[in-house]
Structures are given as structure tokens and as C-alpha cells.
Amino acid sequence: MDVTDDFPQQQLKRRRFETVTSSPFATQYISAASTSSLNISKNLTTGIGNKRNRSENGVINLDVDSYVIEEQASEIQKLKAENTKLNTSFNTLKTENAKAVHENIFLKRLVTKQHERTTQTQTELEAARKYKNEADDRMSKMEQLILQLRYHLQAQGQSNPINIIGFHQPPDVY
């Protein structure tokens, strides 16, 4: 017999361990046993049953595994649905935020323009008030000057009859 002919049979052989502690995968079996039925976990931890148990325990184990798989699948579906809801709400909030940012920029520009107009109007009003006060002062000075000139002319008119225009008045002839 060849060594190559014997090789495929060696791969198919499985080792059977007497106790769980001698198995290199004992921790995996113990953690898997916590989700499966109590009988199987009891057999693994106590070392009872050196051979595979193909009775009802295997069927129960498959039922428990399929139940766990179904639960996990339903949980995955719930999480996916929640994820899609969160993504859509995130996208809507993102677009609303972008709109709010653009509106905020637009409103800031409007407020800036309005502030500029207000300051311009205030400066124009201050200039107009200043001009009015200066004009009032000039008018009062002019009125005082006119009154002084009238009094001066009246005082001069008694001694020398000169018309306001600067010509001598013609004598009154009737």
C-alpha cells in the first residue's frame, strides 16, 4: 500500500476525547452549550458520553440553533430597518440644516444691508439737522442785521431823506 492511498482516510478520522479539559476546543463547546439544551451541556462538562449523542438531544439542539438563528435574523432585520430610518432622518435633517444655513446667510446679508441703510439714514438726518440749525442761525443773524439796518436808515432818514434805493426822494408836489 502506498502512503498516498492511506492519506484520505487519515483526514476523515476524528479524535474522541475522554474529558472536556483534554479537548483543545473545550471552551468553544462550553460557550456553545450555554445556548443549547441542558442535557448536552451536562454531557460536555462532566465527560459523560464518549460517543456522539444522536438521540433527541441532537434534534433539540438543532431546534434551539434554528430558533437562535431566526431570532438573530429578526434582530438583524429590525436593526436594518432602524438603520434605514435613522439614515433617512439624518438625510432630511441634513437637508433642513443646509436650508437653515443658507437662510441664515441670506438673513445676515439682509440685516447687514438694513444696518448700512439705517446708519446712512441716521447720518443723513444728522447732516440735515445740522444744516437746519446752521440755516436757522444764519436767518436769525440776517434778521438782526436787517433790523439794525432799518434802525440805522431810520436814524439817517430823519436827518437826510434818502430812499432805500439810494436816490433822493423827489419833493412832494400837489
Side-chain angles (χ1 to χ4, degrees), residues 24-25 30 59 70 76 92 127-128 136 138 162:
F25 304 108
I30 291 172
V59 174
E70 288 175 5
I76 289 171
T92 56
D136 286 343
R138 278 192 235 134
I162 300 176

Side-chain angles (χ1 to χ4, degrees), residues 123-139:
T123 56
E124 287 176 0
L125 284 173
E126 283 296 318
R129 286 185 188 127
K130 185 178 176 182
Y131 181 76
K132 180 187 173 264
N133 290 337
E134 289 175 0
D136 286 343
D137 288 343
R138 278 192 235 134
M139 285 180 59

Side-chain angles (χ1 to χ4, degrees), residues 32-51:
S34 65
T35 58
S36 62
S37 70
L38 293 174
N39 291 333
I40 294 174
S41 65
K42 187 185 271 186
N43 289 340
L44 284 175
T45 56
T46 59
I48 302 173
N50 294 334
K51 295 184 180 179

Side-chain angles (χ1 to χ4, degrees), residues 110-150:
L110 288 177
V111 167
T112 304
K113 286 181 182 180
Q114 187 176 15
H115 181 68
E116 288 174 358
R117 289 178 185 168
T118 304
T119 55
Q120 183 181 6
T121 304
Q122 287 177 350
T123 56
E124 287 176 0
L125 284 173
E126 283 296 318
R129 286 185 188 127
K130 185 178 176 182
Y131 181 76
K132 180 187 173 264
N133 290 337
E134 289 175 0
D136 286 343
D137 288 343
R138 278 192 235 134
M139 285 180 59
S140 64
K141 287 179 183 178
M142 291 290 195
E143 286 174 353
Q144 288 176 359
L145 184 64
I146 289 172
L147 284 176
Q148 286 176 357
L149 286 175
R150 279 190 185 161

Side-chain angles (χ1 to χ4, degrees), residues 18-20 25-66:
E18 293 297 321
T19 61
V20 175
F25 304 108
T27 57
Q28 290 178 355
Y29 288 130
I30 291 172
S31 65
S34 65
T35 58
S36 62
S37 70
L38 293 174
N39 291 333
I40 294 174
S41 65
K42 187 185 271 186
N43 289 340
L44 284 175
T45 56
T46 59
I48 302 173
N50 294 334
K51 295 184 180 179
R52 262 193 251 174
N53 216 356
R54 293 191 185 210
S55 64
E56 292 179 10
N57 291 339
V59 174
I60 291 172
N61 191 13
L62 290 177
D63 289 340
V64 170
D65 288 344
S66 64

